[in-house]
Amino acid sequence: MALNTLVDGLAFAEGLRWHEGQLWFSDMHEGSVWRVSEDGTQHRVCEVAGRPSGLGWLPGGDLLIVSMMDKKVLRLGAGGKLSEHADLSTVALRRTNDMVVDRSGRAYVGNFGFDFEEGEAQVATPLAIVEPDGRVSATADKLIFPNGMVITADGKMLVAAETFAACLTAFDIDANGALTNRRVWADIGGGAVPDGICMDDNGAIWVASPTTGECLRIVEGGEVTGRIDTGRQAIACALGGAKGDVLFIATSATVNREECRELRSGRIEYTVTPK
């Protein structure tokens, strides 16, 4: 499938989300959150000095933003003011990362667990659960670099991408929001690793793989039923558009922060997928 460019000249796009007819994303290495319409019109939503990543919304419409370096979830109210929604430092030993928010406003937030840029040994880590009122607890321990996450349409299952374990891991969501019944949803081979992910209407998961420069459509059990070659590092993905069939992919020539800020090679590309 051919790719078209929606946005170019970014430092490093992350956390793609389709919401209310627009694509929202974090420019992590620039420190800003944006929304863009399908015609490419861009609007800067806010600035986040601590490096923004995962995005989601509370039922009342307030935007939640993961602030990676200070291990917090920020809340952007209707008046445009940022405030602290939750402090994740009791759960996250290293920087926080992606997030998914359920229909009730409960957020699940991943964290690195170890600093791979500094050569630290791999350490397993839990996810943080953030209740709608900001209370924080831990769930699903022993994940290896939990990254992108999705919740099924019925709200009963969460799938997390374990980047450095090269797999997608599924959990049932109990009545209190805790994650139970852990199992491997799909092993990912061929040198690919899962970064950002999204789920289509048929229950398959699109996986952005930076190591292989592609976006893969994977069904439960691991079969690859679709493959898009980006020719660059594929960082995150989201489905959107009026029919929900437009696949947006964040790509970059590099993941190094200083190179990203200098080269501005980040893009959001897109293609229409078969329904």
Side-chain angles (χ1 to χ4, degrees), residues 176-226:
N176 297 314
L179 302 182
T180 64
N181 189 25
R182 177 176 181 161
R183 67 265 191 198
V184 174
W185 195 88
D187 281 316
I188 300 173
V193 298
D195 194 330
I197 63 176
C198 63
M199 180 174 278
D200 67 20
D201 290 342
N202 295 312
I205 293 179
W206 283 97
V207 173
S209 170
T211 53
T212 54
E214 59 190 344
C215 205
L216 306 172
R217 184 181 187 269
I218 300 176
V219 298
E220 187 173 5
E223 181 185 359
V224 176
T225 61

mmCIF file of all heavy atoms in Angstrom, residues 176-226:
data_model
loop_
_atom_site.group_PDB
_atom_site.id
_atom_site.type_symbol
_atom_site.label_atom_id
_atom_site.label_comp_id
_atom_site.label_asym_id
_atom_site.label_seq_id
_atom_site.Cartn_x
_atom_site.Cartn_y
_atom_site.Cartn_z
ATOM 1 N N ASN A 176 -12.618 -4.178 38.831
ATOM 2 C CA ASN A 176 -11.910 -3.078 39.473
ATOM 3 C C ASN A 176 -10.806 -2.476 38.604
ATOM 4 O O ASN A 176 -10.056 -1.615 39.061
ATOM 5 C CB ASN A 176 -11.312 -3.554 40.797
ATOM 6 C CG ASN A 176 -12.377 -3.991 41.788
ATOM 7 O OD1 ASN A 176 -13.380 -3.297 41.970
ATOM 8 N ND2 ASN A 176 -12.180 -5.135 42.412
ATOM 9 N N GLY A 177 -10.685 -2.978 37.379
ATOM 10 C CA GLY A 177 -9.682 -2.444 36.468
ATOM 11 C C GLY A 177 -8.359 -3.172 36.497
ATOM 12 O O GLY A 177 -7.475 -2.873 35.685
ATOM 13 N N ALA A 178 -8.173 -4.131 37.428
ATOM 14 C CA ALA A 178 -6.920 -4.876 37.487
ATOM 15 C C ALA A 178 -6.819 -5.813 36.279
ATOM 16 O O ALA A 178 -7.830 -6.256 35.719
ATOM 17 C CB ALA A 178 -6.831 -5.668 38.781
ATOM 18 N N LEU A 179 -5.585 -6.135 35.901
ATOM 19 C CA LEU A 179 -5.336 -6.995 34.751
ATOM 20 C C LEU A 179 -5.037 -8.417 35.225
ATOM 21 O O LEU A 179 -4.161 -8.626 36.068
ATOM 22 C CB LEU A 179 -4.172 -6.451 33.930
ATOM 23 C CG LEU A 179 -4.351 -5.005 33.412
ATOM 24 C CD1 LEU A 179 -3.155 -4.590 32.567
ATOM 25 C CD2 LEU A 179 -5.655 -4.844 32.625
ATOM 26 N N THR A 180 -5.750 -9.385 34.684
ATOM 27 C CA THR A 180 -5.633 -10.778 35.116
ATOM 28 C C THR A 180 -5.506 -11.682 33.890
ATOM 29 O O THR A 180 -5.643 -11.244 32.746
ATOM 30 C CB THR A 180 -6.860 -11.199 35.942
ATOM 31 O OG1 THR A 180 -8.036 -11.141 35.102
ATOM 32 C CG2 THR A 180 -7.074 -10.271 37.137
ATOM 33 N N ASN A 181 -5.275 -12.985 34.149
ATOM 34 C CA ASN A 181 -5.244 -14.002 33.095
ATOM 35 C C ASN A 181 -4.262 -13.622 31.983
ATOM 36 O O ASN A 181 -4.608 -13.591 30.797
ATOM 37 C CB ASN A 181 -6.638 -14.239 32.508
ATOM 38 C CG ASN A 181 -6.683 -15.432 31.567
ATOM 39 O OD1 ASN A 181 -5.880 -16.347 31.674
ATOM 40 N ND2 ASN A 181 -7.618 -15.392 30.631
ATOM 41 N N ARG A 182 -3.034 -13.384 32.357
ATOM 42 C CA ARG A 182 -2.009 -13.002 31.394
ATOM 43 C C ARG A 182 -1.735 -14.135 30.399
ATOM 44 O O ARG A 182 -1.628 -15.295 30.776
ATOM 45 C CB ARG A 182 -0.716 -12.649 32.135
ATOM 46 C CG ARG A 182 0.456 -12.314 31.231
ATOM 47 C CD ARG A 182 1.650 -11.885 32.051
ATOM 48 N NE ARG A 182 2.783 -11.532 31.209
ATOM 49 C CZ ARG A 182 3.809 -10.797 31.620
ATOM 50 N NH1 ARG A 182 3.839 -10.349 32.877
ATOM 51 N NH2 ARG A 182 4.793 -10.515 30.801
ATOM 52 N N ARG A 183 -1.610 -13.790 29.113
ATOM 53 C CA ARG A 183 -1.231 -14.765 28.091
ATOM 54 C C ARG A 183 -0.605 -14.039 26.908
ATOM 55 O O ARG A 183 -0.820 -12.833 26.725
ATOM 56 C CB ARG A 183 -2.414 -15.598 27.629
ATOM 57 C CG ARG A 183 -3.508 -14.847 26.849
ATOM 58 C CD ARG A 183 -4.616 -14.399 27.732
ATOM 59 N NE ARG A 183 -5.784 -13.902 27.014
ATOM 60 C CZ ARG A 183 -6.720 -13.146 27.599
ATOM 61 N NH1 ARG A 183 -6.620 -12.772 28.870
ATOM 62 N NH2 ARG A 183 -7.762 -12.752 26.892
ATOM 63 N N VAL A 184 0.165 -14.789 26.123
ATOM 64 C CA VAL A 184 0.766 -14.223 24.919
ATOM 65 C C VAL A 184 -0.297 -14.170 23.823
ATOM 66 O O VAL A 184 -0.870 -15.191 23.444
ATOM 67 C CB VAL A 184 1.973 -15.058 24.454
ATOM 68 C CG1 VAL A 184 2.508 -14.534 23.117
ATOM 69 C CG2 VAL A 184 3.079 -15.019 25.511
ATOM 70 N N TRP A 185 -0.562 -12.977 23.340
ATOM 71 C CA TRP A 185 -1.530 -12.796 22.253
ATOM 72 C C TRP A 185 -0.869 -13.097 20.913
ATOM 73 O O TRP A 185 -1.474 -13.701 20.034
ATOM 74 C CB TRP A 185 -2.062 -11.363 22.291
ATOM 75 C CG TRP A 185 -3.300 -11.109 21.490
ATOM 76 C CD1 TRP A 185 -4.595 -11.260 21.898
ATOM 77 C CD2 TRP A 185 -3.358 -10.631 20.136
ATOM 78 N NE1 TRP A 185 -5.461 -10.910 20.894
ATOM 79 C CE2 TRP A 185 -4.724 -10.519 19.797
ATOM 80 C CE3 TRP A 185 -2.407 -10.287 19.182
ATOM 81 C CZ2 TRP A 185 -5.155 -10.068 18.549
ATOM 82 C CZ3 TRP A 185 -2.821 -9.851 17.933
ATOM 83 C CH2 TRP A 185 -4.186 -9.751 17.622
ATOM 84 N N ALA A 186 0.393 -12.673 20.778
ATOM 85 C CA ALA A 186 1.154 -12.966 19.566
ATOM 86 C C ALA A 186 2.637 -12.765 19.815
ATOM 87 O O ALA A 186 3.038 -11.755 20.392
ATOM 88 C CB ALA A 186 0.704 -12.071 18.406
ATOM 89 N N ASP A 187 3.437 -13.736 19.410
ATOM 90 C CA ASP A 187 4.888 -13.538 19.322
ATOM 91 C C ASP A 187 5.183 -12.881 17.983
ATOM 92 O O ASP A 187 4.538 -13.180 16.969
ATOM 93 C CB ASP A 187 5.629 -14.872 19.411
ATOM 94 C CG ASP A 187 5.745 -15.372 20.842
ATOM 95 O OD1 ASP A 187 6.054 -14.553 21.727
ATOM 96 O OD2 ASP A 187 5.515 -16.572 21.068
ATOM 97 N N ILE A 188 6.174 -11.996 17.989
ATOM 98 C CA ILE A 188 6.523 -11.274 16.768
ATOM 99 C C ILE A 188 7.941 -11.660 16.374
ATOM 100 O O ILE A 188 8.875 -11.472 17.148
ATOM 101 C CB ILE A 188 6.408 -9.756 16.975
ATOM 102 C CG1 ILE A 188 4.961 -9.410 17.358
ATOM 103 C CG2 ILE A 188 6.835 -8.989 15.733
ATOM 104 C CD1 ILE A 188 4.762 -7.982 17.757
ATOM 105 N N GLY A 189 8.095 -12.198 15.187
ATOM 106 C CA GLY A 189 9.395 -12.671 14.749
ATOM 107 C C GLY A 189 9.976 -11.826 13.637
ATOM 108 O O GLY A 189 9.516 -10.712 13.353
ATOM 109 N N GLY A 190 11.011 -12.346 13.015
ATOM 110 C CA GLY A 190 11.613 -11.678 11.872
ATOM 111 C C GLY A 190 12.374 -10.423 12.204
ATOM 112 O O GLY A 190 12.591 -9.572 11.324
ATOM 113 N N GLY A 191 12.771 -10.269 13.460
ATOM 114 C CA GLY A 191 13.504 -9.072 13.851
ATOM 115 C C GLY A 191 12.633 -7.880 14.158
ATOM 116 O O GLY A 191 13.129 -6.815 14.540
ATOM 117 N N ALA A 192 11.307 -8.013 14.000
ATOM 118 C CA ALA A 192 10.383 -6.914 14.297
ATOM 119 C C ALA A 192 10.158 -6.809 15.797
ATOM 120 O O ALA A 192 10.219 -7.807 16.523
ATOM 121 C CB ALA A 192 9.050 -7.133 13.586
ATOM 122 N N VAL A 193 9.891 -5.612 16.273
ATOM 123 C CA VAL A 193 9.505 -5.386 17.667
ATOM 124 C C VAL A 193 8.314 -4.440 17.687
ATOM 125 O O VAL A 193 8.196 -3.554 16.844
ATOM 126 C CB VAL A 193 10.661 -4.796 18.503
ATOM 127 C CG1 VAL A 193 11.848 -5.739 18.551
ATOM 128 C CG2 VAL A 193 11.078 -3.425 17.996
ATOM 129 N N PRO A 194 7.401 -4.606 18.650
ATOM 130 C CA PRO A 194 6.220 -3.749 18.699
ATOM 131 C C PRO A 194 6.476 -2.461 19.479
ATOM 132 O O PRO A 194 6.924 -2.500 20.619
ATOM 133 C CB PRO A 194 5.183 -4.625 19.396
ATOM 134 C CG PRO A 194 5.996 -5.472 20.332
ATOM 135 C CD PRO A 194 7.318 -5.695 19.635
ATOM 136 N N ASP A 195 6.195 -1.334 18.856
ATOM 137 C CA ASP A 195 6.236 -0.032 19.535
ATOM 138 C C ASP A 195 4.790 0.405 19.733
ATOM 139 O O ASP A 195 4.079 -0.172 20.547
ATOM 140 C CB ASP A 195 7.057 0.948 18.694
ATOM 141 C CG ASP A 195 7.441 2.216 19.450
ATOM 142 O OD1 ASP A 195 6.681 2.629 20.348
ATOM 143 O OD2 ASP A 195 8.489 2.801 19.147
ATOM 144 N N GLY A 196 4.309 1.374 18.978
ATOM 145 C CA GLY A 196 2.902 1.745 19.063
ATOM 146 C C GLY A 196 2.020 0.747 18.341
ATOM 147 O O GLY A 196 2.433 0.119 17.359
ATOM 148 N N ILE A 197 0.769 0.568 18.830
ATOM 149 C CA ILE A 197 -0.151 -0.385 18.225
ATOM 150 C C ILE A 197 -1.557 0.211 18.174
ATOM 151 O O ILE A 197 -1.878 1.169 18.884
ATOM 152 C CB ILE A 197 -0.192 -1.726 18.987
ATOM 153 C CG1 ILE A 197 -0.718 -1.531 20.422
ATOM 154 C CG2 ILE A 197 1.187 -2.380 19.001
ATOM 155 C CD1 ILE A 197 -0.873 -2.854 21.202
ATOM 156 N N CYS A 198 -2.400 -0.366 17.315
ATOM 157 C CA CYS A 198 -3.827 -0.021 17.295
ATOM 158 C C CYS A 198 -4.590 -1.234 16.822
ATOM 159 O O CYS A 198 -4.034 -2.130 16.177
ATOM 160 C CB CYS A 198 -4.101 1.198 16.411
ATOM 161 S SG CYS A 198 -3.713 0.980 14.654
ATOM 162 N N MET A 199 -5.873 -1.300 17.146
ATOM 163 C CA MET A 199 -6.708 -2.456 16.812
ATOM 164 C C MET A 199 -7.765 -2.058 15.806
ATOM 165 O O MET A 199 -8.385 -0.991 15.937
ATOM 166 C CB MET A 199 -7.347 -3.023 18.079
ATOM 167 C CG MET A 199 -8.250 -4.235 17.842
ATOM 168 S SD MET A 199 -8.833 -4.984 19.399
ATOM 169 C CE MET A 199 -7.418 -6.014 19.830
ATOM 170 N N ASP A 200 -8.005 -2.906 14.796
ATOM 171 C CA ASP A 200 -9.038 -2.597 13.819
ATOM 172 C C ASP A 200 -10.378 -3.206 14.231
ATOM 173 O O ASP A 200 -10.485 -3.884 15.267
ATOM 174 C CB ASP A 200 -8.612 -2.996 12.402
ATOM 175 C CG ASP A 200 -8.484 -4.508 12.189
ATOM 176 O OD1 ASP A 200 -9.066 -5.292 12.973
ATOM 177 O OD2 ASP A 200 -7.805 -4.907 11.218
ATOM 178 N N ASP A 201 -11.399 -2.979 13.411
ATOM 179 C CA ASP A 201 -12.751 -3.417 13.761
ATOM 180 C C ASP A 201 -12.900 -4.931 13.778
ATOM 181 O O ASP A 201 -13.867 -5.461 14.333
ATOM 182 C CB ASP A 201 -13.762 -2.823 12.774
ATOM 183 C CG ASP A 201 -13.940 -1.321 12.927
ATOM 184 O OD1 ASP A 201 -13.557 -0.788 13.992
ATOM 185 O OD2 ASP A 201 -14.435 -0.681 11.979
ATOM 186 N N ASN A 202 -11.951 -5.641 13.171
ATOM 187 C CA ASN A 202 -12.012 -7.102 13.131
ATOM 188 C C ASN A 202 -11.174 -7.749 14.224
ATOM 189 O O ASN A 202 -11.031 -8.979 14.250
ATOM 190 C CB ASN A 202 -11.549 -7.594 11.761
ATOM 191 C CG ASN A 202 -12.483 -7.150 10.641
ATOM 192 O OD1 ASN A 202 -13.700 -7.301 10.749
ATOM 193 N ND2 ASN A 202 -11.925 -6.592 9.579
ATOM 194 N N GLY A 203 -10.601 -6.928 15.101
ATOM 195 C CA GLY A 203 -9.836 -7.473 16.218
ATOM 196 C C GLY A 203 -8.388 -7.764 15.912
ATOM 197 O O GLY A 203 -7.672 -8.304 16.771
ATOM 198 N N ALA A 204 -7.925 -7.430 14.712
ATOM 199 C CA ALA A 204 -6.502 -7.560 14.397
ATOM 200 C C ALA A 204 -5.776 -6.325 14.911
ATOM 201 O O ALA A 204 -6.367 -5.246 15.080
ATOM 202 C CB ALA A 204 -6.292 -7.707 12.897
ATOM 203 N N ILE A 205 -4.481 -6.466 15.154
ATOM 204 C CA ILE A 205 -3.687 -5.359 15.695
ATOM 205 C C ILE A 205 -2.627 -4.946 14.683
ATOM 206 O O ILE A 205 -1.870 -5.779 14.175
ATOM 207 C CB ILE A 205 -3.033 -5.766 17.027
ATOM 208 C CG1 ILE A 205 -4.122 -5.966 18.098
ATOM 209 C CG2 ILE A 205 -2.020 -4.713 17.488
ATOM 210 C CD1 ILE A 205 -3.587 -6.403 19.453
ATOM 211 N N TRP A 206 -2.589 -3.647 14.404
ATOM 212 C CA TRP A 206 -1.520 -3.068 13.601
ATOM 213 C C TRP A 206 -0.373 -2.708 14.542
ATOM 214 O O TRP A 206 -0.584 -2.106 15.588
ATOM 215 C CB TRP A 206 -1.994 -1.822 12.864
ATOM 216 C CG TRP A 206 -2.830 -2.110 11.654
ATOM 217 C CD1 TRP A 206 -4.195 -2.108 11.580
ATOM 218 C CD2 TRP A 206 -2.357 -2.425 10.336
ATOM 219 N NE1 TRP A 206 -4.607 -2.405 10.304
ATOM 220 C CE2 TRP A 206 -3.493 -2.608 9.514
ATOM 221 C CE3 TRP A 206 -1.087 -2.590 9.774
ATOM 222 C CZ2 TRP A 206 -3.399 -2.932 8.161
ATOM 223 C CZ3 TRP A 206 -0.983 -2.912 8.428
ATOM 224 C CH2 TRP A 206 -2.122 -3.080 7.634
ATOM 225 N N VAL A 207 0.825 -3.114 14.157
ATOM 226 C CA VAL A 207 2.015 -2.963 14.993
ATOM 227 C C VAL A 207 3.053 -2.138 14.250
ATOM 228 O O VAL A 207 3.477 -2.511 13.143
ATOM 229 C CB VAL A 207 2.613 -4.340 15.345
ATOM 230 C CG1 VAL A 207 3.946 -4.187 16.076
ATOM 231 C CG2 VAL A 207 1.634 -5.151 16.187
ATOM 232 N N ALA A 208 3.473 -1.019 14.826
ATOM 233 C CA ALA A 208 4.580 -0.237 14.272
ATOM 234 C C ALA A 208 5.885 -0.846 14.767
ATOM 235 O O ALA A 208 6.096 -0.977 15.973
ATOM 236 C CB ALA A 208 4.479 1.221 14.695
ATOM 237 N N SER A 209 6.758 -1.235 13.835
ATOM 238 C CA SER A 209 8.027 -1.867 14.184
ATOM 239 C C SER A 209 9.183 -0.984 13.726
ATOM 240 O O SER A 209 9.487 -0.922 12.526
ATOM 241 C CB SER A 209 8.142 -3.247 13.530
ATOM 242 O OG SER A 209 9.467 -3.764 13.691
ATOM 243 N N PRO A 210 9.851 -0.300 14.659
ATOM 244 C CA PRO A 210 10.959 0.572 14.257
ATOM 245 C C PRO A 210 12.166 -0.190 13.730
ATOM 246 O O PRO A 210 12.878 0.304 12.851
ATOM 247 C CB PRO A 210 11.293 1.326 15.548
ATOM 248 C CG PRO A 210 10.764 0.475 16.659
ATOM 249 C CD PRO A 210 9.571 -0.220 16.101
ATOM 250 N N THR A 211 12.417 -1.386 14.236
ATOM 251 C CA THR A 211 13.630 -2.114 13.846
ATOM 252 C C THR A 211 13.584 -2.584 12.399
ATOM 253 O O THR A 211 14.629 -2.693 11.744
ATOM 254 C CB THR A 211 13.837 -3.331 14.756
ATOM 255 O OG1 THR A 211 12.628 -4.113 14.768
ATOM 256 C CG2 THR A 211 14.184 -2.897 16.171
ATOM 257 N N THR A 212 12.388 -2.870 11.890
ATOM 258 C CA THR A 212 12.260 -3.368 10.519
ATOM 259 C C THR A 212 11.637 -2.351 9.576
ATOM 260 O O THR A 212 11.492 -2.633 8.376
ATOM 261 C CB THR A 212 11.423 -4.666 10.494
ATOM 262 O OG1 THR A 212 10.161 -4.435 11.139
ATOM 263 C CG2 THR A 212 12.153 -5.785 11.230
ATOM 264 N N GLY A 213 11.272 -1.179 10.087
ATOM 265 C CA GLY A 213 10.731 -0.129 9.231
ATOM 266 C C GLY A 213 9.443 -0.515 8.541
ATOM 267 O O GLY A 213 9.284 -0.319 7.331
ATOM 268 N N GLU A 214 8.502 -1.046 9.311
ATOM 269 C CA GLU A 214 7.251 -1.482 8.721
ATOM 270 C C GLU A 214 6.126 -1.443 9.744
ATOM 271 O O GLU A 214 6.366 -1.336 10.955
ATOM 272 C CB GLU A 214 7.390 -2.899 8.157
ATOM 273 C CG GLU A 214 7.802 -3.920 9.201
ATOM 274 C CD GLU A 214 8.177 -5.266 8.606
ATOM 275 O OE1 GLU A 214 7.850 -5.526 7.433
ATOM 276 O OE2 GLU A 214 8.787 -6.079 9.332
ATOM 277 N N CYS A 215 4.922 -1.514 9.232
ATOM 278 C CA CYS A 215 3.737 -1.634 10.075
ATOM 279 C C CYS A 215 3.063 -2.945 9.696
ATOM 280 O O CYS A 215 2.783 -3.196 8.515
ATOM 281 C CB CYS A 215 2.814 -0.445 9.845
ATOM 282 S SG CYS A 215 1.719 -0.076 11.232
ATOM 283 N N LEU A 216 2.838 -3.806 10.689
ATOM 284 C CA LEU A 216 2.338 -5.155 10.459
ATOM 285 C C LEU A 216 0.922 -5.299 10.995
ATOM 286 O O LEU A 216 0.615 -4.837 12.098
ATOM 287 C CB LEU A 216 3.227 -6.182 11.166
ATOM 288 C CG LEU A 216 4.725 -6.128 10.855
ATOM 289 C CD1 LEU A 216 5.473 -7.073 11.784
ATOM 290 C CD2 LEU A 216 4.984 -6.482 9.414
ATOM 291 N N ARG A 217 0.067 -5.982 10.243
ATOM 292 C CA ARG A 217 -1.258 -6.354 10.742
ATOM 293 C C ARG A 217 -1.168 -7.793 11.218
ATOM 294 O O ARG A 217 -0.862 -8.708 10.431
ATOM 295 C CB ARG A 217 -2.325 -6.211 9.660
ATOM 296 C CG ARG A 217 -3.746 -6.495 10.171
ATOM 297 C CD ARG A 217 -4.765 -6.351 9.041
ATOM 298 N NE ARG A 217 -6.132 -6.459 9.533
ATOM 299 C CZ ARG A 217 -6.833 -7.585 9.615
ATOM 300 N NH1 ARG A 217 -6.271 -8.744 9.239
ATOM 301 N NH2 ARG A 217 -8.081 -7.586 10.064
ATOM 302 N N ILE A 218 -1.446 -8.005 12.498
ATOM 303 C CA ILE A 218 -1.259 -9.309 13.127
ATOM 304 C C ILE A 218 -2.574 -9.759 13.769
ATOM 305 O O ILE A 218 -3.253 -8.960 14.427
ATOM 306 C CB ILE A 218 -0.140 -9.240 14.185
ATOM 307 C CG1 ILE A 218 1.180 -8.822 13.525
ATOM 308 C CG2 ILE A 218 0.019 -10.563 14.916
ATOM 309 C CD1 ILE A 218 2.316 -8.624 14.500
ATOM 310 N N VAL A 219 -2.923 -11.006 13.582
ATOM 311 C CA VAL A 219 -4.101 -11.567 14.243
ATOM 312 C C VAL A 219 -3.641 -12.401 15.430
ATOM 313 O O VAL A 219 -2.470 -12.784 15.533
ATOM 314 C CB VAL A 219 -4.951 -12.412 13.277
ATOM 315 C CG1 VAL A 219 -5.485 -11.552 12.140
ATOM 316 C CG2 VAL A 219 -4.142 -13.578 12.718
ATOM 317 N N GLU A 220 -4.573 -12.674 16.347
ATOM 318 C CA GLU A 220 -4.212 -13.432 17.548
ATOM 319 C C GLU A 220 -3.589 -14.772 17.163
ATOM 320 O O GLU A 220 -4.100 -15.487 16.296
ATOM 321 C CB GLU A 220 -5.443 -13.663 18.423
ATOM 322 C CG GLU A 220 -5.122 -14.299 19.755
ATOM 323 C CD GLU A 220 -6.312 -14.368 20.693
ATOM 324 O OE1 GLU A 220 -7.434 -14.005 20.272
ATOM 325 O OE2 GLU A 220 -6.111 -14.767 21.867
ATOM 326 N N GLY A 221 -2.464 -15.076 17.786
ATOM 327 C CA GLY A 221 -1.705 -16.259 17.442
ATOM 328 C C GLY A 221 -0.434 -15.929 16.688
ATOM 329 O O GLY A 221 0.496 -16.731 16.652
ATOM 330 N N GLY A 222 -0.387 -14.726 16.059
ATOM 331 C CA GLY A 222 0.860 -14.268 15.462
ATOM 332 C C GLY A 222 0.913 -14.208 13.953
ATOM 333 O O GLY A 222 1.925 -13.745 13.399
ATOM 334 N N GLU A 223 -0.126 -14.653 13.252
ATOM 335 C CA GLU A 223 -0.084 -14.606 11.789
ATOM 336 C C GLU A 223 -0.093 -13.153 11.307
ATOM 337 O O GLU A 223 -0.906 -12.339 11.754
ATOM 338 C CB GLU A 223 -1.276 -15.347 11.187
ATOM 339 C CG GLU A 223 -1.280 -15.357 9.665
ATOM 340 C CD GLU A 223 -2.519 -15.991 9.067
ATOM 341 O OE1 GLU A 223 -3.388 -16.457 9.843
ATOM 342 O OE2 GLU A 223 -2.628 -16.022 7.821
ATOM 343 N N VAL A 224 0.811 -12.851 10.380
ATOM 344 C CA VAL A 224 0.878 -11.520 9.775
ATOM 345 C C VAL A 224 0.012 -11.521 8.528
ATOM 346 O O VAL A 224 0.272 -12.264 7.577
ATOM 347 C CB VAL A 224 2.326 -11.131 9.426
ATOM 348 C CG1 VAL A 224 2.367 -9.787 8.709
ATOM 349 C CG2 VAL A 224 3.182 -11.087 10.688
ATOM 350 N N THR A 225 -1.035 -10.691 8.521
ATOM 351 C CA THR A 225 -1.974 -10.662 7.399
ATOM 352 C C THR A 225 -1.874 -9.382 6.584
ATOM 353 O O THR A 225 -2.605 -9.221 5.605
ATOM 354 C CB THR A 225 -3.413 -10.823 7.910
ATOM 355 O OG1 THR A 225 -3.717 -9.739 8.802
ATOM 356 C CG2 THR A 225 -3.589 -12.146 8.654
ATOM 357 N N GLY A 226 -0.996 -8.487 6.976
ATOM 358 C CA GLY A 226 -0.777 -7.259 6.217
ATOM 359 C C GLY A 226 0.574 -6.682 6.582
ATOM 360 O O GLY A 226 1.045 -6.838 7.717
#
